[in-house]
């Protein structure tokens, strides 16, 4: 990349991506070859780099093939030959279909995980395409698939881009095993068992994995250790059966002890999903982040720009997991709801690395996580958490057993800001203001929450603070598992007060979603009226995009809520979705006549008056 100095680094500081680099390490074979749909950036925010470094630390020889060409003579797939243990396949840091297509199913023109943002450097569904190629070339070598795309497609799922229900990705990708979730532990376990001489076909009990077995392996009925989901044949005929499956899938993803084994039959075969591993301890997550990452793109990308890296190059991730449980989000399905927090020392070590980068100008772009202010939080009484299967600790109310103390996070902010060379640290990740505004009754914790909000606004905003109320109407917010919009009004009061007091001219930028399950055209008109009253001309908006393994997607597909069985209206047809989206832009004269016609049709002339006056 143009502004990166590679002079003090050697090619062997990265994991090998070519035979030449492999031989430079003195190797004549590798144990594992990882194929990724992303460019290779040796940074703890990029999955293939993390998995490669973890395997390396465990004593294995690892090579990475980033963005292999699947349309030529397949030389990228052949160059390392068959590894001693297995091939690992990942579509990349995003589901490939989200990466490739907009909510309107239009092809995107760029790819943030590719050099210079070029599109077309990976196929649709790389997990399937790469696995098919490897299976034909190396029929006897084990293939393990993982990453976001595989993880969230581990059982039957609705595919928005093809507008159909699809089976577990293991029925489409000729892989031997699927490693779901964050893969540091289960990938090392797999390598150890294969290295010990076990056959891949015999490894059917690996935690946090899914495999295909003969139907005879499935128990006759559900019990405390096994949950038999509705079969593929049943869900194919009955969308409500698919919806009811999801409740079990989500609950088992959010249990502290990993929960039960899930089984889903496909004719004479069955997909077995083994329970999740517990959340990483602080020592375990430190060990992963403290691996010898160069924090830089591979030299093969010299003089090229990778947009996703540009966004995070001067950032530090503090923790994993999210207990928000938003209906449209997949974080807990992949990372779990229990927070794994890094130690203060590990965070400061990485922050010092950032300050020593030649292009660092004194500004850390993000001290964050999946939800920026959940660092070091969790249940006060872990025995209560062990029995709990609720997907959210914040909805419909904040759990009384939840420790909401922001003091450890404030301590991190203060320590990082005190480092030599740091002028300012920003919080670029999403903040849960319902968490920071919660009062628990403990005077010290409640005081720290008030302090957090004030320090966040005063010291850690880069001109614009982005928050995500998502909607204004309680009926929609309840389905979203988000707090009432009244809380946003209160947070905005704090934001405005701090700005006025400290002479700041910062903006509060809210995110909103249209066409979410439960949202009607009238709800969107009310959103327009309420945001107009706040003097917002919205820009951070999106149309709901159904992605695998979320409550909202199951409602979109089936029409029923997985937990209540209630029938829920959802805008599905393109014209319905456009009819909702236009209310975001009420201030644009292009939309005014159409909005007025719609509100007359809906018998709401009062909303016309509130939007446009007389």
């Amino acid at each position: 990349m143009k502004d990166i100095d590679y002079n003090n680094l050697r090619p062997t500081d990265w994991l090998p991506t070519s035979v030449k680099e492999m031989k430079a390490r003195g190797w004549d074979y590798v144990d594992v070859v990882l194929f990724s749909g992303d460019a290779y950036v040796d940074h703890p925010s990029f999955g293939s780099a993390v998995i490669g470094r973890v395997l390396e630390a465990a004593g294995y020889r690892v090579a990475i093939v980033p963005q292999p060409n699947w349309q030529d003579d397949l030389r990228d797939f052949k160059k390392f030959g068959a590894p001693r243990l297995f091939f690992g396949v990942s579509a990349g840091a995003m589901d490939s279909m989200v990466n490739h297509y907009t909510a309107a199913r239009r092809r995107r023109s760029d790819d943030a995980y590719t050099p210079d943002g070029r599109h077309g450097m990976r196929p649709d569904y790389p997990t399937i395409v790469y696995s098919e190629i490897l299976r034909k070339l190396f029929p006897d070598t084990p293939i393990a698939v993982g990453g976001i795309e595989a993880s969230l497609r581990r059982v039957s799922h609705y595919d928005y881009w093809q507008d159909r229900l699809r089976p577990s990705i293991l029925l489409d990708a000729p892989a031997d095993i699927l490693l779901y979730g964050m893969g540091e532990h289960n990938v090392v376990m797999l390598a150890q068992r294969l290295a010990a001489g076990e056959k891949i076909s015999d490894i059917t009990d690996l935690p946090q994995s899914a495999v295909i077995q003969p139907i005879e392996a499935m128990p006759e009925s559900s019990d405390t250790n096994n949950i038999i989901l509705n079969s593929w044949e049943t869900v194919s005929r009955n969308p409500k059966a698919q919806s009811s499956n999801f409740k079990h899938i989500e609950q088992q993803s959010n249990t502290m002890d990993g929960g039960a084994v899930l089984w889903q039959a496909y004719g004479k075969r069955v997909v077995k999903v083994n329970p999740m591993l517990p959340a990483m301890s602080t020592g375990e997550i430190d060990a992963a982040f403290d691996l010898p990452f160069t924090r830089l793109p591979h030299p093969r990308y010299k003089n090229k720009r990778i947009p996703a890296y540009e966004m995070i190059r001067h950032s530090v991730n503090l923790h994993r997991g999210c207990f928000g449980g938003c209906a449209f989000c997949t974080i807990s399905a992949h990372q779990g709801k229990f927070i794994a927090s890094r130690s203060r020392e590990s965070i400061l070590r990485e922050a010092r690395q950032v300050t020593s980068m030649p292009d660092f100008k004194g500004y850390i772009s993000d001290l964050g996580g999946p939800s920026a202010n959940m660092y070091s939080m969790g249940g006060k009484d872990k025995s209560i958490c062990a029995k709990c299967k609720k997907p959210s600790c914040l909805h419909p109310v904040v759990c009384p057993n939840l420790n909401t103390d922001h003091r450890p996070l404030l301590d991190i902010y203060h320590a990082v800001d005190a480092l030599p060379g740091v002028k300012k640290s920003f919080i670029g990740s999403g903040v849960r203001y319902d968490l920071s505004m919660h009062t628990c009754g403990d005077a010290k914790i409640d005081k720290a929450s008030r302090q957090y909000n004030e320090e966040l606004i005063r010291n850690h905003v880069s001109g614009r603070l982005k928050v995500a109320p998502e909607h204004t109407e309680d009926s929609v917010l309840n389905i979203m598992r988000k707090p009432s919009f009244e809380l946003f009004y209160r947070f905005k009061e704090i934001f405005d007060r701090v700005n006025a007091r400290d002479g700041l001219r910062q903006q509060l930028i809210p995110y909103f979603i249209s066409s979410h399950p439960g949202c009607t055209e009238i709800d969107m008109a009310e959103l327009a009226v309420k945001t107009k009253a706040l003097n917002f001309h919205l820009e951070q908006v999106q149309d709901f995009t159904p992605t695998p393994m979320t409550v909202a997607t199951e409602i979109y597909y089936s029409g029923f809520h997985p937990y209540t069985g209630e029938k829920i209206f959802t805008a599905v047809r393109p014209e319905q979705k456009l009819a909702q989206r236009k209310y975001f832009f009420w201030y644009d004269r292009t939309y005014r006549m159409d909005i007025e016609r719609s509100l007359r049709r809906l018998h709401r002339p009062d909303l016309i008056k509130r939007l446009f006056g007389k």
Side-chain angles (χ1 to χ4, degrees):
M1 298 179 75
K2 294 177 182 178
D3 55 351
I4 293 177
D5 181 7
Y6 288 101
N7 292 328
N8 296 322
L9 295 163
R10 302 162 299 171
T12 51
D13 289 331
W14 284 263
L15 297 171
T17 64
S18 67
V19 173
K20 180 181 177 181
E21 292 168 13
M22 177 187 77
K23 290 182 176 179
R25 287 181 166 231
W27 300 351
D28 55 5
Y29 72 91
V30 291
D31 296 310
V32 180
V33 182
L34 302 177
F35 287 83
S36 173
D38 291 342
Y40 172 32
V41 180
D42 192 41
H43 187 284
S45 292
F46 288 76
S48 59
V50 175
I51 297 303
R53 290 296 187 184
V54 165
L55 285 166
E56 178 189 49
Y60 300 102
R61 298 180 176 186
V62 185
I64 292 181
V65 182
Q67 299 188 316
N69 190 333
W70 73 101
Q71 297 173 304
D72 61 0
D73 60 3
L74 307 180
R75 66 187 68 182
D76 286 339
F77 293 88
K78 301 172 185 175
K79 61 184 177 184
F80 287 108
R84 185 173 70 95
L85 298 178
F86 66 93
F87 289 113
V89 172
S90 169
M94 290 176 67
D95 185 285
S96 66
M97 304 307 282
V98 176
N99 181 289
H100 283 173
Y101 299 95
T102 69
R105 298 187 177 98
R106 288 194 290 267
R107 187 85 178 187
R108 298 186 192 275
S109 60
D110 58 359
D111 183 338
Y113 292 87
T114 296
D116 292 334
R118 278 185 62 193
H119 67 92
M121 294 296 287
R122 78 184 90 206
D124 290 352
Y125 309 106
T127 306
I128 298 171
V129 174
Y130 296 169
S131 298
E132 287 176 337
I133 292 170
L134 290 169
R135 179 58 73 216
K136 289 176 183 176
L137 293 174
F138 305 97
D140 300 322
T141 303
I143 300 172
V145 296
I148 291 284
E149 183 167 273
S151 179
L152 302 182
R153 296 168 182 267
R154 54 191 184 258
V155 291
S156 62
H157 55 279
Y158 171 68
D159 187 289
Y160 172 70
W161 299 273
Q162 294 188 342
D163 192 23
R164 69 180 178 95
L165 198 68
R166 290 187 66 136
S168 163
I169 199 167
L170 283 173
L171 274 294
D172 291 324
D176 298 285
I177 192 167
L178 186 160
L179 305 180
Y180 70 89
M182 306 303 282
E184 288 99 332
H185 284 348
N186 52 2
V187 75
V188 172
M189 291 177 184
L190 176 64
Q192 289 171 338
R193 291 178 67 168
L194 289 171
E198 284 192 65
K199 294 180 180 178
I200 189 68
S201 58
D202 293 335
I203 302 176
T204 62
D205 60 345
L206 189 72
Q208 212 163 294
S209 74
V211 294
I212 294 179
Q213 293 193 264
I215 193 67
E216 293 77 19
M218 185 172 72
E220 292 184 4
S221 60
S222 297
D223 54 36
T224 54
N225 297 316
N226 297 277
I227 296 174
I228 299 175
L229 302 174
N230 292 310
S231 69
W232 169 247
E233 290 72 23
T234 300
V235 299
S236 298
R237 296 190 305 267
N238 182 0
K240 195 171 185 180
Q242 167 68 17
S243 175
S244 66
N245 273 357
F246 181 78
K247 177 180 178 180
H248 298 296
I249 296 163
E250 185 176 50
Q251 286 180 336
Q252 297 310 306
S253 295
N254 289 321
T255 56
M256 179 176 277
D257 63 355
V261 176
L262 298 175
W263 303 82
Q264 187 176 34
Y266 293 80
K268 294 183 179 180
R269 297 185 291 174
V270 62
V271 171
K272 178 188 181 187
V273 183
N274 293 306
M276 285 186 81
L277 289 157
M280 279 182 158
S281 67
T282 294
E284 289 170 335
I285 194 169
D286 280 359
F289 275 89
D290 290 347
L291 293 170
F293 297 99
T294 64
R295 293 184 60 87
L296 298 173
H298 190 276
R300 66 193 289 156
Y301 308 121
K302 192 172 183 180
N303 297 324
K304 295 182 180 179
R305 175 178 169 272
I306 300 172
Y309 172 68
E310 294 293 306
M311 290 179 63
I312 55 85
R313 64 196 300 180
H314 297 144
S315 70
V316 180
N317 190 3
L318 310 184
H319 60 278
R320 285 187 188 159
C322 180
F323 50 71
C326 296
F328 47 82
C329 180
T330 59
I331 291 171
S332 66
H334 190 71
Q335 297 189 10
K337 76 173 183 180
F338 295 98
I339 306 301
S341 298
R342 297 171 65 185
S343 69
R344 185 178 190 270
E345 294 73 23
S346 176
I347 292 167
L348 291 177
R349 276 195 295 273
E350 186 176 358
R352 290 189 190 97
Q353 279 185 285
V354 173
T355 65
S356 67
M357 294 174 71
D359 64 330
F360 182 68
K361 307 298 183 185
Y363 300 98
I364 291 182
S365 61
D366 187 20
L367 292 174
S371 286
N373 57 322
M374 290 184 181
Y375 177 78
S376 195
M377 292 184 184
K380 291 178 278 191
D381 183 344
K382 296 297 190 290
S383 67
I384 295 175
C385 296
K387 299 172 186 174
C388 178
K389 293 182 180 178
K390 285 183 61 177
S392 175
C393 303
L394 300 180
H395 185 270
V397 294
V398 177
C399 176
N401 187 49
L402 181 65
N403 166 27
T404 60
D405 192 352
H406 283 74
R407 284 175 293 182
L409 183 54
L410 285 167
D411 178 57
I412 295 295
Y413 290 176
H414 300 160
V416 171
D417 287 346
L419 290 175
V422 174
K423 298 176 183 176
K424 202 174 186 69
S425 62
F426 298 113
I427 312 306
S429 305
V431 172
R432 289 296 299 242
Y433 57 81
D434 51 339
L435 183 58
S436 64
M437 295 179 68
H438 173 67
T439 54
C440 67
D442 182 309
K444 292 181 179 179
I445 291 177
D446 291 343
K447 180 181 178 181
S449 294
R450 293 192 297 271
Q451 181 186 350
Y452 177 81
N453 285 326
E454 296 221 355
E455 288 199 19
L456 169 72
I457 296 165
R458 185 175 63 246
N459 300 331
H460 301 288
V461 176
S462 181
R464 314 173 97 202
L465 177 60
K466 297 178 181 179
V467 294
E470 308 294 7
H471 214 284
T472 61
E473 303 310 290
D474 284 345
S475 60
V476 183
L477 289 165
N478 188 52
I479 293 173
M480 289 179 163
R481 296 178 180 156
K482 296 287 285 186
S484 171
F485 196 62
E486 291 299 318
L487 205 60
F488 176 80
Y489 286 123
R490 288 167 49 200
F491 184 77
K492 186 176 183 301
E493 288 174 3
I494 298 171
F495 184 86
D496 292 342
R497 184 175 69 247
V498 173
N499 272 270
R501 185 192 66 202
D502 296 340
L504 303 172
R505 300 183 64 183
Q506 299 175 149
Q507 289 180 289
L508 188 63
I509 308 296
Y511 281 79
F512 290 100
I513 297 176
S514 61
S515 302
H516 190 277
C519 181
T520 66
E521 199 174 331
I522 291 294
D523 291 323
M524 290 302 299
E526 292 283 4
L527 183 152
V529 166
K530 290 175 181 175
T531 54
K532 178 194 176 183
L534 290 167
N535 200 30
F536 285 131
H537 283 195
L538 302 180
E539 54 183 77
Q540 298 293 336
V541 298
Q542 66 180 58
D543 193 39
F544 169 67
T545 304
T547 54
M549 208 167 281
T550 69
V551 175
T553 297
E554 298 302 334
I555 298 172
Y556 179 96
Y557 169 68
S558 71
F560 297 95
H561 198 291
Y563 283 78
T564 66
E566 176 188 3
K567 190 168 181 61
I568 305 289
F569 167 79
T570 305
V572 174
R573 298 195 307 274
E575 61 271 22
Q576 291 176 316
K577 296 168 81 68
L578 287 171
Q580 292 202 16
R581 183 176 173 81
K582 69 190 177 191
Y583 288 97
F584 284 142
F585 310 107
W586 62 268
Y587 52 85
D588 186 334
R589 294 184 64 85
T590 307
Y591 295 95
R592 178 166 176 168
M593 288 183 63
D594 190 23
I595 289 173
E596 289 187 1
R597 278 196 299 268
S598 295
L599 290 175
R600 289 192 188 97
R601 172 177 52 81
L602 295 166
H603 309 294
R604 292 301 302 270
D606 59 309
L607 294 176
I608 298 175
K609 185 174 181 181
R610 291 166 68 189
L611 269 181
F612 304 117
K614 295 181 181 180

